[in-house]
Each structure stands twice: as C-alpha cells, then as structure tokens.
C-alpha cells in the first residue's frame, strides 16, 4: 500500500473514532433513565435521572429543584395541620420565591383554592402581572386539570412536581394539558423530584382518616 493510501486509511479510522465519540457524547447528554421506585394506589413515583457529561451542572440544577420542593413540602405540612389534603406549591422567578400556597378549599369554602392556584395568585400580585413569564412552579403532587390549565394561562415556563396523581392528574396521568401541542403555550414538565417524601406525606394523611 502506498503512503497516500496508508494516510487515507488512518484518516478514515480517525473519522470513525471521532464519530463514535460524538455519538456517545450525544447519548450521554440526552439519555433518560427511568426507574419506578414505588407505587401506592393513587400516586406513582417515577425517578428521572438526566445523564450529562458535566455532572456538576446537573447536580446543581437538581439541588436547586430539591431546595424549592422542600419548601413546597413544608407548605403541604401547613395544609395538613389545618385539616387539608397535604399539597404545597411555590412559584419561583429569578431564583426567588414569589408565590406560596397549600390546599385550602375547606378553609376558604372555595373549590378552586388548590395549592397551585393560590401560589399563582400570590405571584401574579407580587409581580403585578398576570403573565408569569420565566417562572417555575414547584408542586408536591401532579396538578389537576384545572391547575394545569391555569399554568398555561399564566404562561409558566416550567413545572416541577414530586409524585403523579393517578386519579386526577392533568399533566401526565389522565391528561397532558400543560404541554399539549394544540395549545399556544407549552410548559416544560419535570417530574420525580423528592417523590418519596411527597407520597409519604399524602399516604400518612389519608391513612389517618380511614
């Protein structure tokens, strides 16, 4: 084989190696592993892990989501103490919590007083805008159809929730309202953040009322 042919063979081999490396990096960036850890009647806990070459950035994003979800869990406990179903929600804008809420339909005699709705109302009032562009809503339980529609109307950018609601979920379990392709606004949906804690709270609440 001539020298030119030898170089062409090396170039082809190098090209294949570079192509394989690129394919692997793309796979690592976008591969989504799903591990169903637990099921309990009405709620499902899917745990989603996004594998990225820069795991530090992924870890920081997850830490941030968990920090705000823990505040939503704290609010859910407030609702439980008041005799309401323990669901809590916060709205975050610019890295700051601008809206908080927990389920309060009994206390307010208001069937729409879900945690998400109350958090959205407070955020809209604080920001003086009924459109919450760039905001993220964290909720311990998958929003119902009413709340999912409110997220779209408010132009929430991102929804993060803990556990699925198999009976009434309007985002994944029964309907896919928040990111439906037929709507003029689609919410980015992330699920499975602190799911065990979210379900534990709900299970404890309903077991004590049997």
């Amino acid at each position: 084989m001539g020298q030119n042919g030898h170089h062409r063979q090396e170039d082809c081999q190098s090209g294949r190696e570079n192509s394989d490396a690129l394919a692997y990096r793309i796979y690592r960036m976008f591969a989504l592993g799903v591990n169903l850890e637990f099921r309990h009647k009405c709620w499902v806990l899917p745990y989603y892990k996004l594998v990225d070459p820069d795991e530090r950035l992924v870890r920081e994003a997850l830490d941030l989501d968990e920090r705000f979800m823990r505040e939503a869990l704290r609010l859910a406990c407030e609702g439980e103490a008041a005799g309401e179903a323990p669901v809590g929600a916060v709205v975050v804008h610019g890295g700051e919590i601008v809206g908080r809420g927990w389920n309060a339909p009994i206390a307010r005699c208001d069937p729409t007083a879900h945690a998400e709705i109350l958090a959205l109302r407070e955020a809209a009032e604080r920001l003086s805008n009924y459109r919450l562009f760039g905001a993220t809503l964290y909720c311990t339980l998958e929003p119902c159809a009413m709340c999912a529609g409110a997220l779209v109307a408010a132009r929430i950018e991102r929804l993060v929730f803990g556990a699925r609601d198999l009976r009434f979920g309007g985002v994944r379990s029964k309907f896919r309202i928040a990111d439906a392709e037929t709507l003029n606004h689609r919410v980015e949906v992330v699920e499975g953040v602190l799911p065990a804690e979210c379900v534990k709270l709900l299970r404890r609440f309903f077991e004590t009322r049997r």
Side-chain angles (χ1 to χ4, degrees), residues 22-126:
L22 177 61
Y24 178 71
R25 286 177 62 83
I26 293 173
Y27 165 78
R28 288 274 295 172
M29 289 178 66
F30 296 103
L32 192 63
V34 181
N35 178 25
L36 294 181
E37 297 287 352
F38 177 78
R39 285 180 180 267
H40 182 267
K41 292 189 176 179
C42 304
W43 315 294
V44 174
L45 286 67
Y47 175 73
Y48 292 82
K49 181 183 179 184
L50 182 64
V51 182
D52 190 283
D54 193 341
E55 294 183 359
R56 180 181 59 82
L57 295 179
V58 174
R59 184 68 250 175
E60 287 178 356
L62 183 57
D63 287 345
L64 194 63
D65 282 348
E66 288 183 354
R67 177 161 67 88
F68 290 124
M69 186 62 75
R70 290 194 188 281
E71 175 61 14
L73 280 164
R74 187 191 68 78
L75 294 169
C77 291
E78 295 276 349
E80 181 184 25
E84 306 276 2
V87 179
V90 298
V91 176
V92 176
H93 186 271
E96 178 186 0
I97 294 178
V98 295
R100 291 177 170 86
W102 63 77
N103 269 10
I106 298 173
R108 294 175 179 246
C109 298
D110 179 359
T112 70
H114 289 193
E116 302 95 313
I117 298 296
L118 299 180
L120 288 173
R121 288 173 181 169
E122 184 176 295
E125 183 175 357
R126 181 167 178 178

Side-chain angles (χ1 to χ4, degrees), residues 4 10 34 52 54 62 64 87 91 129 146 184 189 194 202:
N4 290 337
E10 287 182 345
V34 181
D52 190 283
D54 193 341
L62 183 57
L64 194 63
V87 179
V91 176
N129 195 340
M146 174 186 71
N184 63 345
V189 178
L194 301 182
L202 286 161

